[in-house]
Amino acid sequence: MSLAEIAGLLADRTRAAFCLALFDGRAWTAGELARHAGVSASTASEQLSRLIAGGLLTEERQGRHRYVRLSGPAAAQLIENLASFAPDAAGPANLRESTRLGAEARARTCYDHLAGQLGVSVATAALDRGLVTEEAGLAVTEPGRRWFADLGIDLSALRGSRPLLRTCLDWTERRNHLAGAAGAALCARALDRRWVERIGSGRALRITPEGRTAFRDLLGLDLTAA
DNA sequence: GCACCCATGCCGGTATACAA
DNA sequence: TTGTATACCGGCATGGGTGC
């Protein structure tokens, strides 16, 4: 598939709305996405088939349900990078929209890792504390490996086709946060331990009191205002 | 500027598959 | 059997490109 064809897949409001909704890393049904984008079920079905054929989404059928999700980190990164060029250019349409955007700016998931002010703060603290280094490309240091191990995350077990650690440009902060397998594992651990909770069905996260304590103890972050 | 053609997106109607 | 989710088809609206 050519660059123009990939770009063309995202050059439609409905398909873009689907991709941004799926950015929370979860699987949605075609019906849920249709309601989310404000289109009919038949239209959603048609547009989803195009996105799947183009490799941006994958589907999983369970009975009469058709669950779709982003095809992987590469698709998520592509969408995040494009979104950083047009961060809600039209501005929030109403108070509810403004509240949602504010929550997402504070803390959210970026496909499968932490983003927003929280994600950027975590990345900055990890660099300041020498847990990760940018000296020869982004990498986890030996103290960083022990830090992950203390959280019960075995980085050697995360080896695969996916990079262990990479940066991802945050479209609200315009600074990098941590992505890759290690970033995803850290986000999963934060959700498991209820340091953060999902707000509604979107990708915005709420930092819990336990989370504030954990991020302060682990990284020295002061999240009282977040 | 205007008319025409074509591609695309969308919707309504209908059929099909599946769960309850 | 019924209700729901999804797929398919035909038709309409819209916008861009092209020729006059």
Side-chain angles (χ1 to χ4, degrees):
Chain A
M1 176 162 277
S2 70
L3 176 61
E5 288 170 322
I6 292 287
L9 282 174
L10 294 170
D12 172 77
R13 288 184 189 279
T14 300
R15 290 195 294 267
F18 288 168
C19 290
L20 287 172
L22 291 165
F23 212 67
D24 62 7
R26 291 180 291 166
W28 291 50
T29 66
E32 288 172 337
L33 288 169
R35 287 189 290 276
H36 176 81
V39 297
S40 68
S42 57
T43 298
S45 173
E46 191 173 334
Q47 303 303 345
L48 286 173
S49 295
R50 294 188 189 195
L51 290 166
I52 291 166
L56 288 176
L57 306 184
T58 58
E59 68 175 337
E60 185 178 332
R61 292 176 187 269
Q62 285 186 12
R64 59 181 172 176
H65 290 285
R66 178 198 200 189
Y67 289 94
V68 296
R69 63 172 75 240
L70 291 179
S71 60
Q77 186 179 8
L78 171 67
I79 294 163
E80 175 82 358
N81 288 344
L82 281 174
S84 70
F85 280 90
D88 295 283
N94 49 44
L95 180 60
R96 178 176 295 184
E97 180 76 354
S98 177
T99 302
R100 180 185 67 79
L101 289 174
E104 288 187 357
R106 283 188 292 277
R108 67 177 183 279
T109 53
C110 173
Y111 182 53
D112 61 2
H113 51 271
L114 296 173
Q117 291 167 11
L118 174 63
V120 169
S121 296
V122 167
T124 303
L127 276 167
D128 290 346
R129 295 187 162 225
L131 305 179
V132 300
T133 176
E134 291 181 311
E135 284 180 6
L138 195 65
V140 182
T141 62
E142 196 50 45
R145 288 186 175 276
R146 289 195 295 272
W147 184 85
F148 275 97
D150 288 344
L151 291 175
I153 300 171
D154 180 8
L155 295 184
S156 61
L158 299 179
R159 290 187 187 283
S161 58
R162 186 179 184 188
L164 181 63
L165 194 65
R166 64 171 179 80
T167 57
C168 178
L169 181 62
D170 195 288
W171 62 265
T172 51
E173 296 297 300
R174 306 300 179 94
R175 294 162 64 194
N176 287 330
H177 53 246
L178 299 179
L186 179 59
C187 179
R189 186 51 41 93
L191 285 164
D192 284 348
R193 296 193 177 177
R194 294 200 164 279
W195 296 344
V196 291
E197 295 175 335
R198 291 192 184 278
I199 301 175
S201 59
R203 53 189 172 133
L205 298 173
R206 178 189 302 110
I207 304 171
T208 65
E210 294 79 8
R212 293 183 207 286
T213 303
F215 285 119
R216 183 195 63 209
D217 294 346
L218 290 167
L219 294 166
L221 298 181
D222 178 9
L223 300 171
T224 52

